[in-house]
Amino acid sequence: MKGRVLIVAGSDSGGGAGIQADIKSVTAMGAYAATAITALTAQDTEGVRAVHPVPLDFLRLQIRMSLDDIGTDAIKTGMLADSATIDTVCNALEGCTAPLVADPVMVAKGGARLLAPDAIETMTRRLLPLAAVLTPNIPEAEALSGLHIPDLDGMRRAAATLLRKGARAVLVKGGHMEGATLHDVLATAEGTEVFDSPRIETRHTHGTGCTLASAIAAGLAQGMTLRDAVLRARAYVAAAIRNAPGYGKGHGPLDHAVTLDPSRLPT
C-alpha cells in the first residue's frame, strides 16, 4: 500500500457512488483511504430519497483528526452540498500542501440536486483556487464556467475558462456528450490534451465521476504525474464499467474490485 488520500465527500447508502466508491477506488489503486463525511444520503440505483447533512463542527473535526494523525499525500473532495460546507472544508484544509482533486458534485445520476444553486459562486471562489485538478462533467463545467458546451471545442473553451478562474488543471469529462467515442479534455498551464475512448453502452455507470476522481487522487498520492494518474484512472473506470455486476433496477454500480484477484490469496 502506497499513498494516503483524505476523501471529503458524502455517503451513498447504495454503495455505488460517494464515499463508498471513493474508498473502494483508492483501495483498488493500492493506496490508503481516510475520510471526512459531509452528508448521509438514503439512495439506491434509482435515485436519492433523502439527504442528512453532517454538523459542520463534526465535519471540521473529522478533517483535523485525520490530518493531524495519519496525514495525507492527496485530498479528494466530492459532495459539499452548500456554501457553509464548502467554506468549512476550505478553512479546515488551509495550510495543507497535498494536491487536491476537486470533483464538483452537483447532481446525482438519478437527477437529485446535491449542491445548492447559490453555492456555485462559493465553490468557484473558494474551492477552485485550491484544486490541483478539477474534474467536472459537462453540466458541471457549464455551471462553473457559465458557458454552453455543445461539442469538443466547447469542452476546451470551458476548461480554459476554469483555469482562468483559479484551478491549476481541469479535466472536463465528456460522458454526457453523445457519440460512439467519449472525449475527456485535460487542460493545464502547459496546454490541452484530449483523451479518447470507445463509449461503453450500459446503464451501469453509477459513481463513475467519484471513481475517476478518487483514482486520480490515489495516483497523485503515489507520486504519479497528473497525466499518468488520469490515464491510469480512465483505464480503471473503463474496466470497472465493463465488469459491472448488473446490480439494481436503475443506474447500477461499477466493479470497483476489478483490479483484485482473491483467488491468488494463500489458503
Side-chain angles (χ1 to χ4, degrees):
M1 181 176 287
K2 177 184 177 183
R4 303 159 296 174
V5 181
L6 171 59
I7 304 155
V8 185
S11 170
D12 171 4
S13 62
I19 212 88
Q20 287 81 355
D22 297 326
I23 295 170
K24 295 172 193 176
S25 303
V26 169
T27 303
M29 295 293 97
Y32 178 83
T35 65
I37 298 176
T38 62
L40 308 178
T41 69
Q43 63 175 292
D44 55 22
T45 63
E46 295 185 291
V48 178
R49 182 70 61 85
V51 177
H52 180 67
V54 168
L56 297 181
D57 286 346
F58 187 71
L59 171 58
R60 187 181 300 109
L61 183 61
Q62 292 178 80
I63 295 172
R64 191 187 78 202
M65 294 189 72
S66 182
L67 292 178
D68 287 351
D69 180 26
I70 293 172
T72 193
D73 301 299
I75 300 164
K76 184 263 181 178
T77 59
M79 176 187 175
L80 299 182
D82 54 31
S83 291
T85 301
I86 295 169
D87 281 332
T88 296
V89 171
C90 291
N91 290 341
L93 296 177
E94 194 170 305
C96 182
T97 59
L100 168 64
V101 179
D103 185 19
V105 176
M106 294 185 179
V107 179
K109 187 74 71 177
R113 180 169 288 280
L114 300 178
L115 180 71
D118 60 2
I120 293 175
E121 186 276 333
T122 307
M123 178 171 285
T124 303
R125 176 172 48 84
R126 296 284 331 257
L127 190 64
L128 262 63
L130 300 180
V133 59
L134 181 73
T135 64
N137 59 32
I138 286 177
E140 291 162 350
E142 288 181 329
L144 289 168
S145 69
L147 300 176
H148 176 53
I149 304 177
D151 51 24
L152 183 57
D153 284 341
M155 294 172 67
R156 291 190 180 98
R157 288 192 296 271
T161 297
L162 293 171
L163 284 180
R164 290 193 295 271
K165 287 178 178 284
R168 278 167 277 166
V170 180
L171 180 68
V172 179
K173 302 170 296 187
H176 286 75
M177 198 81 71
E178 295 184 358
T181 301
L182 186 147
H183 308 287
D184 293 334
V185 174
L186 177 64
T188 68
E190 287 71 43
T192 300
E193 185 171 3
V194 179
F195 303 114
D196 298 331
S197 56
R199 184 180 299 277
I200 303 169
E201 295 297 340
T202 176
R203 64 181 172 87
H204 299 291
T205 57
H206 184 51
T208 50
C210 304
T211 300
L212 182 71
S214 291
I216 292 171
L220 296 180
Q222 293 164 339
M224 298 177 72
T225 66
L226 175 59
R227 184 180 188 274
D228 287 347
V230 169
L231 287 172
R232 186 182 70 169
R234 292 182 82 254
Y236 168 60
V237 171
I241 293 173
R242 284 193 297 268
N243 290 275
Y247 296 153
K249 301 173 185 176
H251 299 287
L254 316 182
D255 178 5
H256 289 98
V258 69
T259 61
L260 309 180
D261 184 3
S263 67
R264 298 174 62 183
L265 294 173
T267 57

